[in-house]
Amino acid sequence: MKRLIQKGLMFGNLIHVASPAMVERYNRALEHLTGKRTALMDFYIDISGFSPEIGLELEDELYLNHAGVNRQFILLTTEQKKAPLLNAKFSTSRTILRHFIEENEPELFALTARDAVAGELVNSVYTITSPRKLFDIRKITIDADTTQGTVTHAHTLGAKVDRFLKEEEAWFDDVLIGEMIQLAEKTGDVTRNPVRLKHMEFEQGNFWTTHFGPLYVFQDVTHPAILTAGDPRILEGVPVPYVFHMSQRNEIAKFFDLNGLVEPIVAAQGVDAAAILRQKMDFILIDAVAGEATDLDLRSRAEMRRLARTYADRLPEEFHALAALVNWAENGGPWPRITSKHPAYFYTLRAADHPDADLINMALAELSPKDVRQLFICHKDLFYQTYAAWPDAKKAYVADYLEREYQVDKAGARAAIFGREPAMEGDTPPPKDLVTQVGPWGAIRRR
């Protein structure tokens, strides 16, 4: 993993905590939440304030996430909104934290100028002892304040100010005035500078979790189901009608299709479908030859073609199917029939325009793991797990590619792969109507 860390592909964008003042603020918040402190004088934190170094020091990787539910957080700066979430147990957690920071950024900026903000993602479940408990997590709220209770004091002071202004006798209430003065010393003038965090609630409908799986839980779709990489038998009795193992490709393909969750890349607007498919072919090629070829420092299209010719007898079905699809898209070749039984099927799909598109792309990455770019972007936990078992030549190629092609323009790369820009006026749309009529990979002809 050292290569990934050096290239900023692992533990990238973490916030460095190095000044004594910031370390002390962190310790106050840590003690407030957990009763523990760190002896480290500098460390890195993610969006939730979790530090891998402190996790090692405390011998507890879940020191801010006990039992994997009700994640606690420590905010030292609003810049944490750009950081990743490490050791995530739910796919929704980082989105919730980022949204909370962005919606309260001016207030949090003012609060963290003097103190740390400590809080918790609160739901009605405190421990998940069975898979059914996952379905009790429907609404998540955020409880947050500084370690000195600034937000709470400000709320109390605001109520007392309202009382002072409304009650005629309040002008002669020395006790009330004294309490207001004491609170104002802690909060400042709340009439001119309100210290208030928005009350925020988040629904957790469709999500991924590491509990009892990992699992993809789809309960807010027309035909609910769970996709699992673990043992489906432990999910008996869950309140959804279908449970599919990730190896049940036909069933998962039908589930995606019935709920309108995916679309063929060649029918998608706003992307260069042939370029995306050709890049997938490159990754499949590298996977096939990495154990044989030791030098994979290849960057040109000609070099990739030469490598494919050299090891043509080793190329898997996925490579040939995607090559046929590229030939159809670019040269008017015959339409390749790629059913859900074919190992290339999920490589040809992407998430449809759906509120849970990121979750769908995450599942597709797991179903097409040789596409290492999508795996890295959409499912980093699985990327790191599979990376550890790759031949060194593949590790080097993938790390160099991601540093060179992805790190320099993350937003641009994601837009090129997943973007949904509307078609230009006058452009001929892809044959989406035909695709809808016969299914994603029916026997249709090129227009």
Side-chain angles (χ1 to χ4, degrees):
M1 299 297 183
K2 184 177 180 181
R3 182 186 283 116
L4 295 179
I5 296 172
Q6 290 174 337
K7 294 180 180 294
L9 299 169
M10 190 174 187
F11 302 139
N13 292 334
L14 295 181
I15 304 298
H16 190 199
V17 180
S19 73
M22 295 291 273
V23 172
E24 177 54 31
R25 289 179 192 173
Y26 186 92
N27 263 326
R28 287 203 305 268
L30 183 61
E31 189 170 20
H32 175 75
L33 292 174
T34 69
K36 302 174 182 178
R37 293 177 68 89
T38 177
L40 300 178
M41 296 309 297
D42 78 289
F43 45 87
Y44 289 83
I45 59 174
D46 69 2
I47 187 173
S48 73
F50 167 77
S51 167
E53 298 99 324
I54 295 176
L56 289 173
E57 178 195 24
L58 300 178
E59 297 182 347
D60 183 4
E61 293 296 309
L62 297 177
Y63 71 89
L64 286 181
N65 195 19
H66 180 68
V69 292
N70 294 313
R71 181 137 194 166
Q72 296 172 305
F73 60 88
I74 298 172
L75 298 180
L76 297 179
T77 168
T78 55
E79 287 300 300
Q80 284 175 240
K81 68 181 181 179
K82 301 175 184 178
L85 178 64
L86 305 179
N87 297 334
K89 297 300 181 182
F90 291 92
S91 60
T92 51
S93 297
R94 183 179 184 274
T95 301
I96 291 173
L97 283 168
R98 187 184 68 231
H99 193 56
F100 169 71
I101 296 172
E102 289 175 345
E103 286 295 307
N104 294 280
E105 192 156 2
E107 294 81 4
L108 290 172
F109 182 83
L111 291 171
T112 55
R114 301 173 58 186
D115 196 5
V117 173
E120 184 176 356
L121 307 187
V122 182
N123 61 68
S124 58
V125 174
Y126 296 96
T127 181
I128 299 179
T129 54
S130 71
R132 290 187 64 88
K133 284 283 189 179
L134 291 169
F135 296 87
D136 293 336
I137 305 173
R138 295 294 296 184
K139 184 179 292 184
I140 297 172
T141 60
I142 293 184
D143 181 23
D145 202 343
T146 67
T147 60
Q148 298 175 358
T150 305
V151 176
T152 301
H153 292 322
H155 178 75
T156 303
L157 177 57
K160 291 183 182 297
V161 170
D162 289 342
R163 177 186 163 192
F164 180 79
L165 294 175
K166 292 177 181 178
E167 296 181 6
E168 293 183 6
E169 300 299 321
W171 288 88
F172 308 102
D173 190 336
D174 293 338
V175 174
L176 175 61
I177 295 172
E179 290 174 345
M180 291 169 56
I181 292 172
Q182 289 180 345
L183 288 170
E185 290 175 352
K186 299 176 181 178
T187 66
D189 186 349
V190 295
T191 60
R192 295 188 179 184
N193 302 294
V195 183
R196 186 180 301 114
L197 296 175
K198 296 177 183 177
H199 176 73
M200 304 182 73
E201 294 184 348
F202 301 87
E203 296 290 335
Q204 180 155 290
N206 304 325
F207 59 91
W208 169 90
T209 178
T210 61
H211 294 284
F212 307 104
L215 307 177
Y216 296 86
V217 178
F218 294 93
Q219 52 188 335
D220 287 349
V221 293
T222 305
H223 305 280
I226 292 178
L227 313 184
T228 178
D231 185 353
R233 292 173 296 183
I234 67 174
L235 300 174
E236 292 181 2
V238 295
V240 293
Y242 302 104
V243 175
F244 302 126
H245 189 266
M246 298 299 282
S247 62
Q248 295 178 269
R249 300 172 62 85
N250 291 347
E251 291 82 355
I252 293 174
K254 185 176 181 180
F255 163 75
F256 283 155
D257 188 46
L258 286 174
N259 289 292
L261 299 176
V262 297
E263 63 183 4
I265 293 172
V266 294
Q269 299 184 27
V271 298
D272 185 344
I276 294 173
L277 294 172
R278 194 179 294 108
Q279 188 62 68
K280 291 174 184 281
M281 290 171 58
D282 288 349
F283 295 138
I284 293 169
L285 169 62
I286 294 299
D287 179 76
V289 306
E292 301 286 337
T294 57
D295 183 12
L296 295 177
D297 185 19
L298 309 170
R299 302 194 181 189
S300 72
R301 182 56 47 197
E303 289 174 321
M304 296 302 291
R305 288 197 299 268
R306 190 180 309 116
L307 187 67
R309 288 194 297 269
T310 302
Y311 294 94
D313 59 330
R314 298 186 181 277
L315 299 180
E317 292 182 74
E318 299 98 312
F319 183 91
H320 297 296
L322 295 186
L325 193 55
V326 170
N327 186 42
W328 172 85
E330 293 190 330
N331 305 315
W335 173 262
R337 183 172 176 80
I338 304 174
T339 69
S340 58
K341 295 181 180 179
H342 199 288
Y345 177 75
F346 290 109
Y347 288 89
T348 65
L349 302 177
R350 74 169 196 171
D353 192 1
H354 184 273
D356 292 302
D358 289 346
L359 181 64
I360 306 303
N361 281 325
M362 185 180 186
L364 288 173
E366 186 163 352
L367 291 162
S368 52
K370 294 178 184 178
D371 182 358
V372 292
R373 176 174 60 180
Q374 178 156 337
L375 192 64
F376 178 78
I377 295 173
C378 302
H379 202 333
K380 282 188 173 58
D381 285 351
L382 186 58
F383 174 87
Y384 296 137
Q385 291 175 29
T386 55
Y387 175 93
W390 291 344
D392 191 70
K394 182 177 178 180
K395 290 180 179 179
Y397 174 86
V398 172
D400 290 343
Y401 173 86
L402 291 173
E403 180 187 35
R404 183 177 68 250
E405 303 292 338
Y406 176 67
Q407 287 287 83
V408 294
D409 183 12
K410 296 179 183 180
R414 292 179 183 180
I417 303 168
F418 308 114
R420 304 185 191 283
E421 297 176 4
M424 296 295 289
E425 186 175 351
D427 284 356
T428 301
K432 217 167 185 177
D433 54 334
L434 294 177
V435 172
T436 301
Q437 292 173 24
V438 303
W441 299 111
I444 66 175
R445 296 175 301 170
R446 181 180 172 86
R447 296 194 346 183

